[in-house]
Amino acid sequence: MGNVYTVGPNEALVVSGGCCGSTNRTLVVGGWAWAWWLVTDVQRLSLEVMTLNPMCEAVETAQGVPLTVTGVAQCKVMTEPELLAAASEQFLGKDVVHIKAVILQTLEGHLRAILGTLTVEEVYRDRDQFASLVREVAAPDVGRMGIEILSFTIKDVFDEVEYLSSLGKSRTAAVKRDADIGVAEANRDAGIREAECEKSSMDVKYGADVKIEDASRQFQLQKAKFDMEVNAAKAEAQLAYELQAAKVRQKIRNEEIQIDIVERRKQIEVEEQEIKRKEKELQATVRLPAEAESYRVETIAQGKRTQVVEAAKADAEKIKMIGAAEAYSIEAVGKADAERMRMKAAAYKQYGDAAIMSIVLESLPKIAAEVAAPLSKTEDIVLLGGDGKLTHELTRVVGQLPPAIQALTGVDISKVLTKIPGAK
């Protein structure tokens, strides 16, 4: 069994080996390939652009002047099958740093060789020619390694003996000298030509000014005549216009007066209508509500007065009836009490002392209860003394009862008892 390997357009896939000792080699760019396990080797080779900075320090030119030259080169692995196979033989399994170092050494070697055959002026003035020459010489060598030089440019050229600065100074001085001479000659020629042009211009200008002044004088004369005629016509027209305008203003004033008269009449009519409307409005909003309110207040007062009178009459009648009822009740109670007293008196008169004795006897339990009421709250009564003293106290208490009853009822119970048959 095996695996499927894929690769992008920026890499080359190199599949080596196979079953039965095969020595075939498959190169795939931006595709896929099948590889058997154990018997197939799969490696990748980068196709991306590599930027190199070749530099040659203190290399003597054909004149023996030491120069330092730096450049920039863009290289990559070519994708043609034969060249890609050559690159895989040279660099497969190597990292990008190693590949750059090999190419850089090759470019720097050719750069040194070509620099030794040229003069300083040739290198400095025509850098593109120098770069093209290096590229043409180095391309076959790096091409055999499967590498393509995409571009090569000279970045900088300088020296430590100030040869280039001296060369530039002399050239700059010569250029400045030629420029100053050319400027002076140009200024001289320009001044001469400017003076000639100015003279011609002044001649033309003065001749034109004379003609302009003459034409202006003729124009002013003709214009004065025209202005006089125009002013006369304007004056007549202005007078006619003012007269006509006065007439029109008079008509307009008359019409305005008529309009004012009509407006005032209409205004008077409107004010009269407004007065009538105000009167109706006042009648509707003030007078009629006032009359209605007066009538309502008067009606309410009349109703209240009638209500108060009727209430007073009802209260008087009520008091009268209550008084009559109370008088009748008092009269009936008095009559009942009188009748009761009369009948009681008649009964007392009929029975005499026996009736009075019955009343007294009926009252004695109540009197005894009232007398004994304070003693009801007493738990124990202790009498101190001998037997004779106790009897004496009881006799004294009993002996005080008749006077007490006489004082309360007005009845002498001793006399009443003496009248009872068998009592002594």
Side-chain angles (χ1 to χ4, degrees), residues 54-72:
M55 180 177 181
C56 297
E57 295 181 351
V59 179
E60 294 184 357
T61 62
Q63 298 171 337
V65 179
L67 291 180
T68 299
V69 180
T70 60
V72 178

Side-chain angles (χ1 to χ4, degrees), residues 2 56-57 95 101 104 130 132 158 236 257 277 284 286 326 367:
C56 297
E57 295 181 351
D95 55 7
L104 183 60
F130 177 43
S132 300
F158 61 92
E236 293 177 358
I257 293 172
R277 188 188 67 80
V286 178
E326 289 179 352
I367 294 171

Side-chain angles (χ1 to χ4, degrees), residues 60-214:
E60 294 184 357
T61 62
Q63 298 171 337
V65 179
L67 291 180
T68 299
V69 180
T70 60
V72 178
Q74 307 290 340
C75 304
K76 68 178 293 293
V77 177
M78 291 184 283
T79 57
E80 287 77 3
E82 296 82 3
L83 299 175
L84 183 58
S88 64
E89 292 177 0
Q90 302 288 335
F91 304 112
L92 195 62
K94 305 294 183 181
D95 55 7
V96 178
V97 177
H98 176 76
I99 299 173
K100 286 184 177 181
V102 173
I103 301 172
L104 183 60
Q105 290 177 4
T106 304
L107 290 176
E108 288 180 350
H110 289 289
L111 183 61
R112 287 175 178 274
I114 296 173
L115 189 59
T117 61
L118 299 176
T119 63
V120 177
E121 288 77 4
E122 291 174 346
V123 173
Y124 186 77
R125 293 174 183 174
D126 197 353
R127 295 188 181 188
D128 293 337
Q129 181 68 26
F130 177 43
S132 300
L133 184 60
V134 174
R135 181 179 178 183
E136 292 175 359
V137 173
D141 290 342
V142 296
R144 284 190 290 271
M145 293 183 288
I147 303 299
E148 179 184 6
I149 300 176
L150 299 177
S151 66
F152 182 84
T153 57
I154 300 300
K155 184 177 181 182
D156 193 10
V157 177
F158 61 92
D159 66 308
E160 297 180 357
V161 296
E162 297 183 356
Y163 182 87
L164 292 174
S165 60
S166 300
L167 183 63
K169 288 179 181 179
S170 61
R171 181 60 181 168
T172 301
V175 171
K176 286 183 177 180
R177 181 197 60 202
D178 296 340
D180 292 339
I181 293 172
V183 169
E185 291 177 353
N187 290 334
R188 181 199 61 192
D189 296 339
I192 295 172
R193 183 61 180 168
E194 183 178 357
E196 293 175 354
C197 293
E198 185 175 359
K199 179 179 178 299
S200 300
S201 174
M202 293 301 292
D203 294 340
V204 173
K205 180 178 181 300
Y206 291 149
D209 289 342
V210 171
K211 293 180 180 179
I212 291 172
E213 290 297 331
D214 184 54

Side-chain angles (χ1 to χ4, degrees), residues 214-387:
D214 184 54
S216 177
R217 183 177 62 81
Q218 295 295 331
F219 171 74
Q220 293 296 333
L221 292 174
Q222 191 68 28
K223 182 176 180 296
K225 293 180 182 179
F226 291 157
D227 290 342
M228 183 176 63
E229 295 176 0
V230 170
N231 291 332
K234 282 185 178 180
E236 293 177 358
Q238 184 67 24
L239 292 175
Y241 171 75
E242 291 178 357
L243 179 61
Q244 187 65 27
K247 293 179 180 179
V248 172
R249 283 196 298 270
Q250 184 63 34
K251 290 181 180 180
I252 292 173
R253 182 57 182 166
N254 294 333
E255 294 296 332
E256 289 178 350
I257 293 172
Q258 294 297 325
I259 291 172
D260 290 339
I261 294 172
V262 174
E263 286 182 351
R264 290 183 180 180
R265 289 177 181 175
K266 293 296 181 182
Q267 187 175 2
I268 292 171
E269 293 178 0
V270 170
E271 290 178 354
E272 290 177 354
Q273 295 296 327
E274 182 66 18
I275 292 171
K276 293 180 181 180
R277 188 188 67 80
K278 287 288 185 181
E279 290 178 354
K280 292 182 180 180
E281 183 179 356
L282 291 174
Q283 184 176 1
T285 58
V286 178
R287 182 178 178 184
L288 292 179
E291 292 178 355
E293 182 65 19
S294 176
Y295 178 76
R296 185 181 68 83
V297 172
E298 183 178 358
T299 303
I300 292 173
Q302 185 69 24
K304 288 185 177 180
R305 184 180 66 81
T306 303
Q307 182 180 1
V308 171
V309 171
E310 294 297 328
K313 290 180 179 180
D315 291 340
E317 187 68 23
K318 176 182 177 182
I319 293 171
K320 182 178 179 182
M321 294 178 69
I322 291 173
E326 289 179 352
Y328 180 77
S329 175
I330 293 171
E331 183 182 2
V333 171
K335 288 181 179 181
D337 289 340
E339 185 66 22
R340 182 173 61 81
M341 293 298 293
R342 187 184 64 78
M343 293 177 69
K344 186 182 290 187
Y348 288 164
K349 184 178 181 182
Q350 182 179 359
Y351 291 103
D353 294 336
I356 295 170
M357 187 64 185
S358 175
I359 294 171
V360 171
L361 293 175
E362 289 177 357
S363 301
L364 284 177
K366 294 180 179 180
I367 294 171
E370 294 295 330
V371 172
L375 298 177
S376 63
K377 298 179 180 180
T378 305
E379 294 181 358
D380 296 325
I381 299 175
V382 179
L383 297 176
L384 300 176
D387 294 336

